[in-house]
Short mmCIF file of all heavy atoms in Angstrom, two decimals:
data_model
loop_
_atom_site.label_atom_id
_atom_site.label_comp_id
_atom_site.label_asym_id
_atom_site.label_seq_id
_atom_site.Cartn_x
_atom_site.Cartn_y
_atom_site.Cartn_z
N GLU T 186 19.45 11.53 24.80
CA GLU T 186 18.73 12.30 23.80
C GLU T 186 17.22 12.06 23.88
O GLU T 186 16.42 12.95 23.58
CB GLU T 186 19.24 11.97 22.39
CG GLU T 186 18.75 12.95 21.34
CD GLU T 186 19.23 12.61 19.94
OE1 GLU T 186 19.75 11.49 19.74
OE2 GLU T 186 19.07 13.46 19.06
N GLU T 187 16.83 10.86 24.32
CA GLU T 187 15.40 10.60 24.50
C GLU T 187 14.77 11.62 25.46
O GLU T 187 13.61 11.99 25.32
CB GLU T 187 15.18 9.22 25.13
CG GLU T 187 15.53 8.03 24.30
CD GLU T 187 15.38 6.78 25.16
OE1 GLU T 187 14.24 6.34 25.37
OE2 GLU T 187 16.41 6.27 25.66
N GLY T 188 15.55 12.01 26.45
CA GLY T 188 15.04 12.94 27.47
C GLY T 188 14.64 14.28 26.87
O GLY T 188 13.73 14.94 27.37
N VAL T 189 15.34 14.68 25.80
CA VAL T 189 14.97 15.94 25.13
C VAL T 189 13.57 15.80 24.55
O VAL T 189 12.73 16.70 24.68
CB VAL T 189 15.99 16.30 24.03
CG1 VAL T 189 15.58 17.60 23.35
CG2 VAL T 189 17.40 16.39 24.59
N GLY T 190 13.30 14.67 23.90
CA GLY T 190 11.97 14.44 23.34
C GLY T 190 10.90 14.38 24.42
O GLY T 190 9.82 14.95 24.28
N ILE T 191 11.22 13.71 25.52
CA ILE T 191 10.25 13.58 26.61
C ILE T 191 9.96 14.95 27.23
O ILE T 191 8.80 15.31 27.45
CB ILE T 191 10.78 12.57 27.65
CG1 ILE T 191 10.71 11.15 27.06
CG2 ILE T 191 9.99 12.65 28.96
CD1 ILE T 191 11.51 10.12 27.81
N SER T 192 11.00 15.73 27.45
CA SER T 192 10.78 17.06 28.02
C SER T 192 10.04 17.97 27.05
O SER T 192 9.21 18.79 27.47
CB SER T 192 12.12 17.71 28.41
OG SER T 192 12.55 17.24 29.67
N ALA T 193 10.33 17.85 25.76
CA ALA T 193 9.62 18.66 24.77
C ALA T 193 8.14 18.29 24.76
O ALA T 193 7.27 19.16 24.76
CB ALA T 193 10.23 18.45 23.38
N GLY T 194 7.86 16.99 24.79
CA GLY T 194 6.46 16.55 24.83
C GLY T 194 5.78 17.04 26.09
O GLY T 194 4.64 17.52 26.05
N ALA T 195 6.47 16.95 27.21
CA ALA T 195 5.88 17.39 28.48
C ALA T 195 5.59 18.89 28.44
O ALA T 195 4.51 19.33 28.85
CB ALA T 195 6.83 17.06 29.63
N HIS T 196 6.52 19.66 27.92
CA HIS T 196 6.30 21.11 27.85
C HIS T 196 5.08 21.44 26.99
O HIS T 196 4.22 22.24 27.37
CB HIS T 196 7.53 21.83 27.29
CG HIS T 196 7.27 23.28 27.03
ND1 HIS T 196 7.09 24.20 28.04
CD2 HIS T 196 7.08 23.97 25.87
CE1 HIS T 196 6.83 25.39 27.51
NE2 HIS T 196 6.81 25.28 26.20
N LEU T 197 5.01 20.82 25.82
CA LEU T 197 3.89 21.12 24.92
C LEU T 197 2.57 20.66 25.53
O LEU T 197 1.51 21.20 25.22
CB LEU T 197 4.12 20.48 23.54
CG LEU T 197 5.35 21.04 22.79
CD1 LEU T 197 5.55 20.29 21.47
CD2 LEU T 197 5.23 22.53 22.53
N ALA T 198 2.65 19.68 26.42
CA ALA T 198 1.45 19.17 27.08
C ALA T 198 1.18 19.91 28.40
O ALA T 198 0.21 19.59 29.09
CB ALA T 198 1.59 17.67 27.34
N GLY T 199 2.04 20.86 28.75
CA GLY T 199 1.76 21.70 29.91
C GLY T 199 2.32 21.19 31.23
O GLY T 199 1.85 21.62 32.29
N VAL T 200 3.33 20.34 31.18
CA VAL T 200 3.91 19.79 32.41
C VAL T 200 5.39 20.19 32.49
O VAL T 200 6.11 20.13 31.49
CB VAL T 200 3.75 18.25 32.44
CG1 VAL T 200 4.59 17.62 33.54
CG2 VAL T 200 2.27 17.89 32.63
#
Side-chain angles (χ1 to χ4, degrees):
Chain T
E186 193 181 13
E187 292 174 78
V189 180
I191 289 165
S192 278
H196 172 71
L197 296 177
V200 168

